[in-house]
Amino acid sequence: MPKLLQIGELAKQTGLSIRTLRYYDEIGLLVPSHRTEAEYRLYSEADIARLQHILSLRQLGFALKEIRECLENPAFSLPNVINLHLARLQEQIVVSQSLFTKLSTLAQQLQTSQTIAVDDLLQIMENLTMTQQYLTQEQHDLLEARLKGSNEGQTKWLLDQARSHMAQGRDFNDPEVRLMAFQFRNGLYGLVGGDLQLYEALMQVYQKEGAEVASLGTLDAPTFDYILKAMAILSVREDMVEFSLDPLTPESREVLIQGQECMQELHLNFFGTEGLLLGLLAVETSSAAQALNNQGVDFVIAQNLIRKLLAKHKVSDTKISSHMKNLIRKLSAKYTVKLPKISSDTKIPPEIPFTPRAHRVMELATEQAKQQGHARITPQHLLLGLLRESEMGGETGGGLAMHVLQECGVDCQKLKQQLNSV
């Protein structure tokens, strides 16, 4: 029988540490063929040959996961390894070229100005080098462009909110913390543009290099980790909590039905805050509609403004681009609200996917009703929920509905006072 090597002997012969060989065993990359009665590892000639393959592939720059996939693939061959390595070298060349371009630009800036601090320069180069180990040049440039194009005022406001909540030690189920997490999650969806590969690459940067590198230097680690935790808890909560129509008064149900019909007339297949506003105005007998009318907003005015805004931006709920529409479709099952059919000959579907913002307004309306000691949700509570969401959402709060109210010169504080006095 061929001689079997103990782990210490194999480590000595290969120059690897015992800890490394144990780790290879734990992840299933190199599992020893034999063990003693005392469970000591024993390596056969076949095991040693496999280890040589592993070390060769490591020299070529392969990750351990890629090495395992190669070795377990019956079609594994040396030409395949060489081609994969050539592709990796090509990616590294692209990264190096990008690095050269950025360094040249910074060098020119330093020749004409001394405003770039050394620490800032080092941070820029470190972030670039690290992120491009995981992201393609195209992905990196896309993220950089989207971060630069984001609303700086809104981003700063959200970061201040996150840091304030964290410093206060607020419960993650606190409504304001949930809203903060909700908005950051929407921002993350917008950043990756619905691209799962880009999201996974970005999360790999986060796991391997940390929060500051993953956010391209825009977020410190404690804040980034806090936000991710808040988003995770929010997502779990949403999966467990479904909005029920049971607490709605008949008048509120009619608001949703009318809003659904209005969205269909606008050729939209989701229910945003604009649908809720139109539904509230369509049910003219409600206290919410009357309060809006008192400030110069009626159904026709709102409908015309929404049509103009949609035609101008070709979006709904502030800015819903193609990736947000894909997101809404993916979230349809989570945010679907079943309503009775309006008539037998209508083409309006019996199920409406709420946008995440509209769903948030419904949650806030529920909270408004509870705060006032009411068991049922009235149109008044729906409108208060919309106003509350706009206050907590910063510059983009309230979505398209708030744009309409602003265009009409509505005094939101006065509107709230009137609703609370009913």
Side-chain angles (χ1 to χ4, degrees):
M1 180 178 177
K3 181 182 177 182
L4 301 175
L5 295 183
Q6 293 186 359
I7 191 169
E9 296 173 311
L10 183 60
K12 186 176 181 180
Q13 288 190 17
T14 59
L16 296 174
S17 67
I18 293 176
R19 178 180 295 178
T20 297
L21 291 172
R22 285 174 177 164
Y23 179 64
Y24 286 177
D25 183 8
E26 289 172 8
I27 65 175
L29 183 60
L30 180 66
V31 180
S33 301
H34 303 276
R35 289 181 184 268
T36 67
E37 292 182 0
E39 288 298 313
Y40 290 119
R41 298 171 176 84
L42 296 174
Y43 294 86
S44 66
E45 290 182 354
D47 297 333
I48 296 171
R50 181 179 174 91
L51 179 58
Q52 291 300 326
H53 281 126
I54 292 170
L55 296 179
S56 297
L57 291 170
R58 285 292 281 165
Q59 286 294 319
L60 288 173
F62 280 70
L64 296 181
K65 180 182 177 182
E66 295 170 325
I67 293 173
R68 184 169 61 243
E69 290 172 353
C70 285
L71 296 180
E72 292 175 356
N73 183 359
F76 171 75
S77 64
L78 184 58
N80 288 340
V81 173
I82 293 174
N83 288 333
L84 286 170
H85 190 47
L86 284 171
R88 176 158 298 187
L89 285 173
Q90 186 64 44
E91 291 178 1
Q92 291 173 354
I93 290 171
V94 172
V95 170
S96 297
Q97 289 174 338
S98 172
L99 194 57
F100 178 84
T101 300
K102 290 184 180 291
L103 276 172
S104 298
T105 302
L106 288 171
Q108 292 175 0
Q109 291 176 358
L110 286 169
Q111 287 177 358
T112 58
S113 171
Q114 299 299 318
T115 56
I116 301 177
V118 174
D119 288 344
D120 293 339
L121 176 61
L122 292 175
Q123 183 66 44
I124 290 170
M125 302 320 301
E126 183 181 12
N127 286 347
L128 174 67
T129 305
M130 288 183 175
T131 55
Q132 292 190 327
Q133 291 178 19
Y134 307 96
L135 302 171
T136 65
Q137 183 62 44
E138 183 181 4
Q139 288 174 326
H140 185 277
D141 290 345
L142 186 62
L143 285 175
E144 199 171 47
R146 285 175 177 165
L147 282 170
K148 287 181 180 178
S150 61
N151 187 318
E152 291 185 7
Q154 173 71 358
T155 302
K156 183 181 183 304
W157 182 84
L158 278 173
L159 287 176
D160 289 344
Q161 288 286 304
R163 292 182 179 119
S164 174
H165 297 335
M166 182 169 57
Q168 295 171 28
R170 285 202 183 189
D171 191 314
F172 283 110
N173 288 313
D174 183 292
E176 293 193 12
V177 176
R178 296 206 312 266
L179 180 59
M180 177 274 297
F182 170 80
Q183 291 171 319
F184 267 109
R185 188 177 62 185
N186 278 357
L188 180 59
Y189 283 131
L191 184 64
V192 300
D195 185 336
L196 182 59
Q197 289 184 337
L198 179 55
Y199 169 75
E200 290 178 344
L202 191 60
M203 287 301 102
Q204 189 177 31
V205 176
Y206 168 69
Q207 292 175 37
K208 299 291 179 62
E209 306 296 344
E212 293 185 28
V213 176
S215 63
L216 303 186
T218 60
L219 272 173
D220 60 278
T223 306
F224 194 77
D225 291 339
Y226 177 82
I227 292 167
L228 286 181
K229 187 180 292 185
M231 288 194 297
I233 291 173
L234 173 68
S235 295
V236 172
R237 184 181 186 278
E238 287 179 343
D239 286 336
M240 298 177 68
V241 178
E242 295 182 359
F243 180 77
S244 171
L245 289 177
D246 291 340
L248 294 175
T249 63
E251 205 171 29
S252 293
R253 287 172 177 260
E254 185 62 24
V255 166
L256 296 187
I257 292 172
Q258 293 296 327
Q260 175 191 20
E261 185 175 15
C262 292
M263 295 299 280
Q264 182 71 6
E265 288 176 357
L266 291 169
H267 305 290
L268 298 174
N269 59 356
F270 49 85
F271 193 103
T273 57
E274 61 272 39
L276 182 59
L277 178 61
L278 290 174
L280 286 166
L281 290 166
V283 182
E284 298 177 352
T285 57
S286 73
S287 58
Q290 292 169 7
L292 288 167
N293 293 163
N294 290 340
Q295 293 218 34
V297 187
D298 62 25
F299 181 85
V300 175
I301 291 173
Q303 188 180 53
N304 288 336
L305 282 171
I306 288 170
R307 288 185 187 278
K308 287 179 182 178
L309 287 167
L310 289 174
K312 181 179 179 181
H313 300 291
K314 295 183 180 179
V315 293
S316 176
D317 245 353
T318 306
K319 284 190 176 181
I320 297 180
S321 56
S322 58
H323 73 265
M324 271 304 292
K325 289 179 181 177
N326 289 333
L327 167 63
I328 290 169
R329 282 194 288 269
K330 290 177 183 178
L331 294 176
S332 292
K334 184 182 292 184
Y335 294 123
T336 290
V337 174
K338 296 183 179 180
L339 295 174
K341 291 183 180 179
I342 297 173
S343 65
S344 58
D345 59 346
T346 184
K347 294 182 179 179
I348 300 170
E351 296 185 351
I352 310 173
F354 275 24
T355 64
R357 188 189 299 281
H359 190 273
R360 177 63 185 157
V361 170
M362 299 299 291
E363 284 191 336
L364 290 170
T366 303
E367 291 174 10
Q368 289 291 324
K370 289 180 180 177
Q371 288 174 10
Q372 295 179 4
H374 298 155
R376 309 293 296 277
I377 300 170
T378 67
Q380 164 198 344
H381 298 132
L382 295 176
L383 183 52
L384 282 169
L386 177 60
L387 295 173
R388 180 61 176 148
E389 200 280 332
S390 70
E391 291 174 346
M392 297 169 66
E395 294 180 7
T396 62
L400 193 56
M402 190 50 56
H403 279 264
V404 172
L405 298 185
Q406 289 170 350
E407 286 283 336
C408 294
V410 171
D411 184 335
C412 292
Q413 289 302 317
K414 184 177 178 181
L415 181 59
K416 278 182 61 179
Q417 291 172 4
Q418 185 176 348
L419 292 168
N420 284 319
S421 66
V422 176

